[in-house]
Amino acid sequence: MSGEQELGITESKEYNTGEWYAEVVQKAKLADYAPMGGFIVTRPRGYELWERLQDHLDGWFKETGVTNAYFPLFIPESYLEQEKDIVEGFDPEVAWVTHGGHEELEERLAVRPTSESIITPYISDWVRSHRDLPMRLNQWASVVRWEATETKPFFRTKEFLWQEGHTAHATDEGAWDEVMTRLDQYAQLYEDVLAIPVLRGCKPDHDKFPGADTTTSVEALMPDGKSVQGGTSHHLGQSFAKAYDVTFTDEDEDEQTAYTTSWGLSWRALGALIMTHSDDQGLVLPPALAPEQVVIVPIYNDENKDEVLQYGSEIAAELQEAGVRVHLDDRDERNPGFKFNEWELNGVPVRFEIGGYEVEDEEVTVVHRPDGEEVVEDRADIAEAVDEHLDAVFDKLYAAAEENLVENVRAVEDVNEILGTIGQHGGYVKTPWCGDEACEEAVKEKVHAEIVLVPMDDEDVPEAQLEDGEALELESNECTMCGEPAEEVAYFAKTY
């Protein structure tokens, strides 16, 4: 097999989505499969995407009063058992350590599936007075959940990277403000950095985080019609505070129980990014996360090689000075066509092509990764023009993802129509729901779709959808599945 054949993507995104996704992840050098089933090895390019995502979120967290900490990977079983809902909710997923060396441990240690049960006791120790509140902690870590049967890099693995925030507040209102602040930041990450529009809402009661009063989430629709839970923010009420004795003295010196929250976003966001924007040529990256935002490919012959390379080098230096992540591909052993294909596979947002004509005319040919659009720019204005091109690439990515979302939210009021719509089109089906889990199960059993969210209000649904009265207006006040009075509107979808 030639280098060109090995380099290219051979699977179709439209017809073989799973195989295509795995091929993009491996050939774009984002990750490899580990020798243990359910685990992956994150390669440098893949980890750099996570680091850049991390930088955005971490900055926003710190701007809003969050400090980072780190807690042990192992959690004593007795700590987990203090909150019964955590035990019941995560028990099937927990990996246990029973031996240290050759000796059996006196108490089993859980490999953290989440950290409420190890962080909350320390918040209890550190909070004494209302002056200590709110307390906002975050850790960047990995967790292990022994649930993944089919490994899908970044989407579903037994171990995954994430951040988890844990906070304590004097009032219920303060905790709710915290929940919504983090949910807004997750939406901001998806929409302003990853170029993916999201829906916001609550999980149904039966699908809440174990022990939570309310679980909120952002949901992103993938091109194959499946929904990705992009990040969750939980109002834990006082259940964890009571279990772990998080109390404080108020201004009147009376003892009160705190309200707590937790919120997390994992590298599943990278999976959503890859699945949403990439194509049959390979990875497609938004400018904010791309390791290289611009690649310069010189096109020369023996006569003009030095001149073309000098021209390209000067442009690279100018862009670098302007803060652009730029790479000059001056490899002699690869021809321009190979380089074009390789950098397209790697997802670089913008390519500069520079040959003898560009040098002679003092111009630069600019090519956009998403659609191959070519624009010729004056050399003198290139530092200013590159920002416009990076913005244009972002806008193209967001517009395509938004179109996919808007066109794939459908309102139905007949149970057979739910089954047929999800089976044929995928996407979100919006329908009246009584609140009974059994009505969700009736749909889940037949088309493997579930309720992914219940909108908190109309603002959580993109405006373009609400304008489409014919497609989205619901007339019935009865549950589509059972005919009982509907308490709310539910969004069904297949999920990752």
Side-chain angles (χ1 to χ4, degrees):
M1 184 176 288
S2 72
E4 283 79 1
Q5 287 174 313
E6 291 176 2
L7 185 68
I9 301 298
T10 61
E11 298 290 350
S12 165
K13 181 177 184 179
E14 181 177 359
Y15 298 110
N16 296 300
T17 306
E19 293 82 356
W20 163 85
Y21 177 86
E23 192 176 15
V24 170
V25 167
Q26 289 188 285
K27 289 191 173 179
K29 299 180 180 178
L30 302 181
D32 273 329
Y33 292 94
M36 316 82 69
F39 294 82
I40 62 172
V41 175
T42 310
R43 300 187 65 173
R45 286 187 69 82
Y47 198 80
E48 185 169 352
L49 298 182
W50 178 243
E51 286 181 314
R52 293 194 182 282
L53 181 154
Q54 200 174 3
D55 287 344
H56 285 281
L57 266 188
D58 201 57
W60 298 336
F61 291 163
K62 288 172 179 173
E63 288 171 2
T64 48
V66 179
T67 53
N68 285 332
Y70 187 80
F71 290 80
L73 170 66
F74 301 123
I75 302 173
E77 185 171 15
S78 58
Y79 275 57
L80 280 180
E81 290 178 341
Q82 285 181 251
E83 219 299 328
K84 62 180 180 63
D85 288 322
I86 280 283
V87 176
E88 294 171 2
F90 282 101
D91 187 58
E93 305 173 8
V94 176
W96 294 100
V97 177
T98 60
H99 287 72
H102 297 294
E103 296 190 13
E104 186 172 353
L105 302 178
E106 292 183 7
E107 180 179 13
R108 291 198 301 173
L109 299 177
V111 182
R112 63 171 166 242
T114 184
S115 296
E116 280 77 7
S117 55
I118 190 70
I119 292 178
T120 312
Y122 284 89
I123 291 179
S124 174
D125 286 345
W126 300 338
V127 169
R128 289 287 176 266
S129 158
H130 65 92
R131 296 181 184 86
D132 299 320
L133 298 173
M135 179 171 287
R136 299 183 175 97
L137 302 175
N138 176 66
Q139 75 169 352
W140 295 93
S142 69
V143 292
V144 172
R145 296 181 184 174
W146 218 265
E147 59 173 340
T149 55
E150 180 184 347
T151 307
K152 196 175 196 68
F154 304 115
F155 276 123
R156 188 166 293 279
T157 50
K158 287 185 170 71
E159 180 190 24
F160 55 89
L161 298 181
W162 76 343
Q163 60 74 213
E164 52 178 317
H166 300 267
T167 70
H169 304 265
T171 65
D172 183 53
E173 181 182 5
W176 257 115
D177 288 344
E178 181 75 19
V179 168
M180 297 312 299
T181 294
R182 305 311 157 196
L183 194 70
D184 288 345
Q185 288 175 336
Y186 292 156
Q188 182 181 1
L189 178 78
Y190 274 88
E191 296 181 342
D192 295 351
V193 178
L194 305 184
I196 302 174
V198 293
L199 302 183
R200 312 178 204 199
C202 296
K203 291 295 182 182
D205 282 347
H206 60 266
D207 196 27
K208 295 184 300 187
F209 179 81
D213 279 7
T214 305
T215 287
T216 66
S217 72
V218 293
E219 302 285 331
L221 184 64
M222 299 295 98
D224 63 355
K226 293 182 180 179
S227 183
V228 170
Q229 179 179 286
T232 52
S233 186
H234 314 288
H235 189 325
L236 303 178
Q238 293 182 311
S239 61
F240 282 83
K242 289 176 179 177
Y244 296 99
D245 194 28
V246 183
T247 59
F248 64 96
T249 55
D250 64 17
E251 294 179 0
D252 298 321
E253 297 299 317
D254 294 325
E255 186 175 89
Q256 304 290 347
T257 299
Y259 296 82
T260 64
T261 78
S262 65
W263 26 276
L265 180 141
S266 78
W267 67 12
R268 183 179 290 178
L270 297 183
L273 168 70
I274 298 161
M275 182 68 77
T276 298
H277 299 311
S278 302
D279 57 25
D280 288 351
Q281 282 68 54
L283 185 65
V284 179
L285 295 173
L289 290 195
E292 306 90 1
Q293 295 171 309
V294 176
V295 62
I296 301 174
V297 178
I299 306 167
Y300 52 78
N301 54 39
D302 290 340
E303 295 180 0
N304 63 9
K305 176 180 177 179
D306 292 342
E307 189 177 13
V308 170
L309 288 177
Q310 178 65 26
Y311 189 76
S313 180
E314 291 172 358
I315 291 175
E318 187 174 332
L319 295 187
Q320 192 168 18
E321 175 124 2
V324 178
R325 296 189 294 277
V326 58
H327 176 73
L328 173 64
D329 189 347
D330 57 1
R331 290 176 294 173
D332 254 344
E333 70 275 14
R334 295 298 189 185
N335 63 46
F338 182 94
K339 295 177 183 179
F340 294 165
N341 290 333
E342 184 175 42
W343 291 110
E344 285 181 0
L345 172 64
N346 288 337
V348 178
V350 170
R351 181 174 75 239
F352 284 3
E353 297 176 7
I354 295 173
Y357 290 121
E358 281 80 8
V359 174
E360 184 177 339
D361 297 337
E362 296 188 358
E363 294 175 338
V364 176
T365 298
V366 181
V367 183
H368 294 180
R369 171 63 181 88
D371 57 3
E373 179 185 357
E374 291 189 12
V375 179
V376 176
E377 294 284 0
D378 289 338
R379 163 69 182 87
D381 302 325
I382 198 61
E384 293 77 16
V386 72
D387 286 336
E388 296 175 5
H389 286 288
L390 293 173
D391 289 343
V393 167
F394 177 92
D395 291 343
K396 289 176 180 180
L397 296 178
Y398 191 91
E402 185 176 45
E403 182 180 8
N404 178 58
L405 174 60
V406 170
E407 290 181 353
N408 286 287
V409 179
R410 299 174 177 88
V412 302
E413 295 173 340
D414 177 85
V415 66
N416 290 322
E417 196 176 347
I418 293 177
L419 303 178
T421 299
I422 291 177
Q424 181 179 356
H425 302 290
Y428 297 113
V429 168
K430 171 185 176 183
T431 197
W433 177 50
C434 65
D436 190 339
E437 183 180 1
C439 288
E440 180 193 37
E441 285 297 325
V443 175
K444 185 184 291 188
E445 288 176 4
K446 294 182 179 178
V447 291
H448 305 292
E450 62 191 65
I451 296 172
V452 296
L453 66 80
V454 176
M456 287 176 275
D457 54 54
D458 285 348
E459 293 180 2
D460 300 316
V461 184
E463 185 176 350
Q465 296 177 59
L466 292 177
E467 291 172 354
D468 190 349
E470 181 179 355
L472 290 173
E473 285 299 327
L474 291 170
E475 303 294 336
S476 176
N477 293 317
E478 297 179 350
C479 176
T480 301
M481 282 64 72
C482 69
E484 293 295 317
E487 293 185 359
E488 48 207 356
V489 172
Y491 279 65
F492 281 86
K494 293 184 178 182
T495 64
Y496 276 101

